[in-house]
Amino acid sequence: MRRRLASIALLALAVSPAMAQTSPFDMSKEAPAIVTPAPQPAAPVAPPDASAPGSTAPMAAATPQPAVPSARRYVVPFAELVFSGEYSRRSWSIFLTPEQAASKADFHLGYQNAVVVAPEASRLKVSVNGSDLVDAPIASSDNPSDMSVAIPAKLLHAGLNDITMSAVQRHRTDCTVESTYELWTQIDTSRTFISFDDPEAGRWKRVEDLRAIGVDEAGATTFNLIVPSMSQTVSTAPAVRLGEAMALMANMPNQAFAVSEAGPAATKPGVANIVLGPAADLSKVLAAVPASAEAGPSATLIDDPTLGPSTLVVSGPSWQAVDLAIDDIAKQVDRPRGSLRTSLATRTWRTPDVPMLLGPRRLTFSELGVSTLEFAGRRVRTDFAVGVPSDFYAESYGQATILLDAAYSQQVLPGSHIDVYVNDSIAATVPITTSGGEILRHLPIKVTMRHFRPGDNTIAIEAVLMTGVDAICAPGATAEGAQRFAVFDSSEFVMPAFARVARIPNLAGTSGTGYPYSIAEYATPLIMDRTQPETVSAGVTLLARMSVAAGRLIPVDTLSAATAVNDRNALFISAISQVPAAVLAQVGVASDAGSTWGERVSSIHPDTDATFNQWREKLRGSGWRGQVSSFEDWMSRTFNISMNSLRIFPGPEAPFAPQGSVGIVVAQQESPTGEATWTLVTAPSVNALQDGVRSLSGQSAWRKMTGHITSVDAGDDKVVSMPATRFDFVETQPFSLSNYRLIIANWLSANALSYAVVLIVLSILLGFATSVLLGSLGRRR
């Protein structure tokens, strides 16, 4: 009997939660000292019945008072946040109102990591305004974990607050460089937030408080723009201008606008309701119209029983007064056209703001936000960002330079290397060829500018380190603490002089800095169907995104007709069935695309052309044609020379016909007169147009726009761009021989055959001139 009881007791201990391991091989005895589990919402408990036998609860407990909900602010401004590799770090800023900064607050963090991450050697850290809040082992491979820590008083302040998250990760059993790609920790954006005890922290009391709109649990920001008199043609331009002003004020990376005559209540973070229109029309959606709206231009926040608290009302006695109210908001964030732009405002998703390089310049890593980093693992990566203007033209010959200050220990073996990436594309590799350790002082690393594009550009430095200890990989070797590599913030990035001339078409310029609409001396014609709320929503979202890229409001003219904008920069936003055939032909979209786009036709007959192309791919490497194709691939990889660069006169571009699951298309070309730029944004339907523009305006998709046509897949948001083979130059700088020399150098580098022809012609002319000169000076017989 005693043995049976002992067995039962041992079995009970074995399944006890106190002895259950959170992940396989977890031998860590550490526990986060400053982190406590996040409180889970308790289920509602019914009050005790005083009439029940044995009840001792007082009668007052039968009617409990409802708890006041705390305000919540999600802090991750991305759709997803994953820390990969042995070291990863992200830093950004969030805007807080004075009420939020003064309130007692807690920081909540949810995450999950790969099963191969060793908790005894891996740490997850979070700091706010330079003060550490979380420093805990990464030990949540089975299920997502939640942590909560109180934010010290006076740590937060009104305005922008810096948040930094970093992860140091080590593999459980493997010491190879390849194993570092298996390490990841994903932050749960829906469970990572700041909670405020003061209910007033969830309210906006001033118009500028809308900077604190933040994001929702998915990292998105939504403005519900409610225009009761939306059917009036005069309402479209003010709606677009107000949307641009609010986008510049919030400056979030993934923001969109939903325009309607009546909107839903804004009941969650990351969403704001804005009512726009004359005071006489506001009674259609508001329970009470503010008195200030009937007296003059007004922008005020009210609590409405239908639309919710902190609803922004922009109004006045007439549309002229409404425009003045919008101007009062816009002047807080607008800048004059043509003013010098020294930086790109990126702090809400990347700190510090990205410097704009308009010419040759030297910047230290400390100025670029890169701190001195010491590393003890196998692969480390750090990055910074720089911006270039819309007329940047140096991708075919230009080279920037990184003057690297670094050091590696005696453990590091030859065969290790330092790689430099520009916008996730390899740009340079420096091998480590000596052993015994070394201090590198201003080691010059030439970085090709082939992958630079207008706007912000991310430059990453990655060190891949091999050691004899890793080759043996003894037990516990993955947690070795000896420092192997260091990169110092005294390193410099040197941008040389580069050619400056704009090109049309160039969607990279539009996505990077809003070119050419950001510098136009007139209001840009915006051609769209003003009667469709989905189309207007797409138009406001697109112009808001372009304004953020431009750093200023872009004036629009919504009353122009498509037939009257031949000599002006124009934007066309419509479902493809409503786009004039002349516009489709001008921007390079097939005229019959409206009848086939979005249709999926199945057939029992085999596709002969597709089958033929498949066999062609199978036999690509055989025969002389296959050898030519392989040679082309080798020339492109080795010398960046393609068949297009070997053409003197590029051939005509075939019309683009969107098919399959393509959700939205952006096409750009010069206007019929050749003096302006036309950009078309179209989709199969108005609903697809609204959804597509929202996907396109997201941070990741927007920066991938380039060439003359860009399409976004509706299923997986994959972005595909078609490079422009024919373009026109647009002069943006005063005449300069040095600038023209750089322009010619880049053009000849991009057109190798033309360069060869010019060289041959000059050689012939030189030989002819030499012959004539010698004939006139030599002895005659």
Side-chain angles (χ1 to χ4, degrees):
M1 184 66 179
R2 291 181 179 177
R3 293 181 179 177
R4 186 173 301 174
L5 290 175
S7 300
I8 294 174
L10 289 175
L11 181 61
L13 289 174
V15 300
S16 172
M19 296 185 64
Q21 289 183 346
T22 59
S23 59
F25 308 106
D26 188 0
M27 302 177 64
S28 174
K29 296 182 180 180
E30 297 180 350
I34 63 172
V35 179
T36 59
Q40 299 297 325
V45 179
D49 188 355
S51 62
S55 175
T56 59
M59 293 298 295
T63 56
Q65 297 296 325
V68 178
S70 61
R72 176 175 296 189
R73 176 70 184 276
Y74 294 103
V75 299
V76 180
F78 318 107
E80 65 176 8
L81 177 58
V82 180
F83 295 113
S84 59
E86 291 185 309
Y87 175 79
S88 186
R89 178 179 180 271
R90 295 294 294 268
S91 182
W92 64 93
S93 300
I94 63 171
F95 188 93
L96 298 180
T97 66
E99 291 76 19
Q100 291 173 341
S103 173
K104 182 180 178 182
D106 294 326
F107 188 92
H108 301 260
L109 176 66
Y111 77 96
Q112 188 172 13
N113 57 270
V115 69
V116 296
V117 175
E120 67 274 10
S122 304
R123 310 291 294 184
L124 180 62
K125 297 182 180 181
V126 179
S127 67
V128 175
N129 291 329
S131 297
D132 293 338
L133 283 184
V134 175
D135 186 356
I138 301 177
S140 185
S141 58
D142 292 342
N143 298 294
S145 292
D146 293 305
M147 302 185 233
S148 176
V149 58
I151 299 178
K154 298 184 180 180
L155 178 60
L156 302 177
H157 55 256
L160 290 171
N161 295 258
D162 294 335
I163 293 180
T164 300
M165 292 187 183
S166 64
V168 175
Q169 304 174 111
R170 294 294 182 269
H171 203 282
R172 289 184 184 270
T173 59
D174 203 336
C175 302
T176 62
V177 174
E178 291 75 13
S179 68
T180 63
Y181 294 93
E182 301 173 359
L183 303 173
W184 57 264
T185 296
Q186 182 168 11
I187 304 300
D188 191 336
T189 59
S190 64
R191 303 162 82 154
T192 303
F193 56 89
I194 297 176
S195 61
F196 303 95
D197 287 355
D198 186 0
E200 292 300 311
R203 303 166 64 89
W204 301 321
K205 298 185 176 181
R206 299 156 289 271
V207 174
E208 56 268 22
D209 286 351
L210 267 76
R211 295 177 185 269
I213 182 175
V215 296
D216 60 17
E217 65 278 4
T221 303
T222 303
F223 293 92
N224 293 321
L225 187 54
I226 304 164
V227 187
S229 51
M230 183 180 171
S231 57
Q232 301 178 16
T233 56
V234 70
S235 67
T236 307
V240 173
R241 183 167 175 79
L242 180 60
E244 293 178 5
M246 299 311 302
L248 284 169
M249 181 175 289
N251 195 32
M252 299 307 297
N254 303 294
Q255 52 192 8
F257 287 79
V259 184
S260 61
E261 293 185 346
T267 57
K268 68 174 185 177
V271 181
N273 276 347
I274 305 174
V275 180
L276 173 68
D281 298 331
L282 300 188
S283 58
K284 300 177 183 178
V285 295
L286 296 178
V289 178
S292 59
E294 300 177 351
S298 172
T300 184
L301 289 159
I302 66 169
D303 293 339
D304 186 78
T306 301
L307 299 180
S310 301
T311 297
L312 176 62
V313 179
V314 181
S315 184
S318 63
W319 277 110
Q320 290 77 10
V322 172
D323 289 336
L324 293 176
I326 297 174
D327 290 341
D328 289 338
I329 299 175
K331 68 183 181 182
Q332 302 179 39
V333 293
D334 200 8
R335 66 179 180 88
R337 184 186 65 84
S339 60
L340 186 64
R341 194 177 185 187
T342 59
S343 64
L344 304 175
T346 62
R347 282 193 63 180
T348 53
W349 65 89
R350 182 188 186 94
T351 57
D353 285 339
V354 176
M356 177 69 84
L357 307 183
L358 303 176
R361 191 174 175 186
R362 296 170 68 111
L363 292 168
T364 63
F365 277 19
S366 59
E367 294 175 299
L368 295 168
V370 179
S371 302
T372 297
L373 172 65
E374 294 182 280
F375 183 67
R378 294 139 198 86
R379 184 173 62 92
V380 62
R381 186 184 182 104
T382 186
D383 60 40
F384 58 90
V386 295
V388 296
S390 57
D391 56 357
F392 172 83
Y393 185 58
E395 63 272 12
S396 295
Y397 80 98
Q399 287 184 324
T401 304
I402 293 177
L403 301 177
L404 184 65
D405 287 344
Y408 60 91
S409 69
Q410 296 89 340
Q411 294 180 327
V412 178
L413 299 176
S416 305
H417 51 91
I418 301 171
D419 301 326
V420 179
Y421 295 83
V422 175
N423 295 324
D424 295 327
S425 297
I426 188 69
T429 296
V430 177
I432 294 176
T433 58
T434 59
S435 59
E438 188 178 0
I439 295 179
L440 308 175
R441 293 292 296 172
H442 269 41
L443 173 69
I445 302 177
K446 297 293 184 180
V447 180
T448 62
M449 293 195 287
R450 174 185 178 186
H451 303 288
F452 276 66
R453 55 178 179 251
D456 60 293
N457 298 267
T458 302
I459 302 172
I461 300 175
E462 181 177 271
V464 178
L465 310 172
M466 296 182 293
T467 66
V469 175
D470 291 340
I472 299 173
C473 199
T478 59
E480 289 286 340
Q483 304 295 344
R484 300 178 177 178
F485 183 80
V487 58
F488 302 102
D489 61 5
S490 57
S491 304
E492 291 184 292
F493 176 79
V494 181
M495 173 65 80
F498 54 85
R500 296 194 59 181
V501 64
R503 288 163 291 171
I504 297 298
N506 185 15
L507 287 173
T510 303
S511 67
T513 61
Y515 182 85
Y517 306 99
S518 59
I519 64 171
E521 300 179 355
Y522 49 83
T524 298
L526 178 59
I527 315 299
M528 64 181 181
D529 186 356
R530 297 183 295 270
T531 63
Q532 297 281 353
E534 297 84 359
T535 304
V536 178
S537 299
V540 176
T541 299
L542 180 68
L543 265 299
R545 190 65 185 84
M546 290 174 58
S547 295
V548 172
R552 63 180 297 267
L553 274 72
I554 299 176
V556 297
D557 175 12
T558 60
L559 302 179
S560 296
T563 57
V565 295
N566 288 343
D567 57 346
R568 290 187 291 170
N569 300 325
L571 283 168
F572 299 85
I573 305 175
S574 292
I576 194 165
S577 59
Q578 300 173 342
V579 180
V583 176
L584 292 176
Q586 186 64 32
V587 298
V589 177
S591 58
D592 60 345
S595 59
T596 59
W597 191 6
E599 296 182 359
R600 296 186 178 182
V601 181
S602 59
S603 174
I604 60 174
H605 300 289
D607 189 339
T608 303
D609 292 336
T611 305
F612 184 82
N613 289 332
Q614 291 176 3
W615 277 96
R616 177 184 292 170
E617 285 296 320
K618 290 180 181 180
L619 301 176
R620 185 179 179 87
S622 62
W624 70 271
R625 286 190 176 91
Q627 298 301 323
V628 171
S629 179
S630 300
F631 178 74
E632 292 177 10
D633 295 339
W634 178 80
M635 290 287 290
S636 178
R637 292 193 309 268
T638 308
F639 302 106
N640 190 26
I641 296 177
S642 63
M643 292 302 297
N644 289 332
S645 63
L646 298 178
R647 297 174 181 172
I648 298 179
F649 301 105
E653 296 173 342
F656 176 75
Q659 297 176 355
S661 58
V662 172
I664 190 170
V665 169
V666 183
Q668 188 177 90
Q669 270 297 350
E670 62 179 13
S671 66
T673 62
E675 299 177 357
T677 304
W678 281 8
T679 302
L680 169 67
V681 182
T682 187
S685 63
V686 291
N687 290 324
L689 181 65
Q690 182 178 7
D691 295 340
V693 169
R694 179 160 193 153
S695 299
L696 177 70
S697 61
Q699 184 69 16
S700 60
W702 182 260
R703 292 300 291 125
K704 293 178 183 177
M705 277 207 309
T706 186
H708 77 109
I709 291 180
T710 293
S711 63
V712 182
D713 193 280
D716 55 7
D717 291 340
K718 180 180 179 182
V719 180
V720 178
S721 294
M722 299 179 59
T725 58
R726 303 171 62 95
F727 55 83
D728 293 330
F729 288 116
V730 179
E731 192 169 9
T732 59
Q733 302 296 311
F735 176 79
S736 169
L737 287 177
S738 61
N739 189 44
Y740 269 73
R741 179 185 65 81
L742 294 173
I743 293 172
I744 295 173
N746 192 81
W747 188 89
L748 291 175
S749 299
N751 297 270
L753 186 58
S754 299
Y755 176 76
V757 170
V758 171
L759 189 62
I760 292 172
V761 170
L762 291 177
S763 300
I764 294 174
L765 292 177
L766 178 62
F768 180 76
T770 303
S771 175
V772 172
L773 181 62
L774 293 177
S776 61
L777 297 178
R779 179 178 297 176
R780 296 179 181 274
R781 291 185 178 180

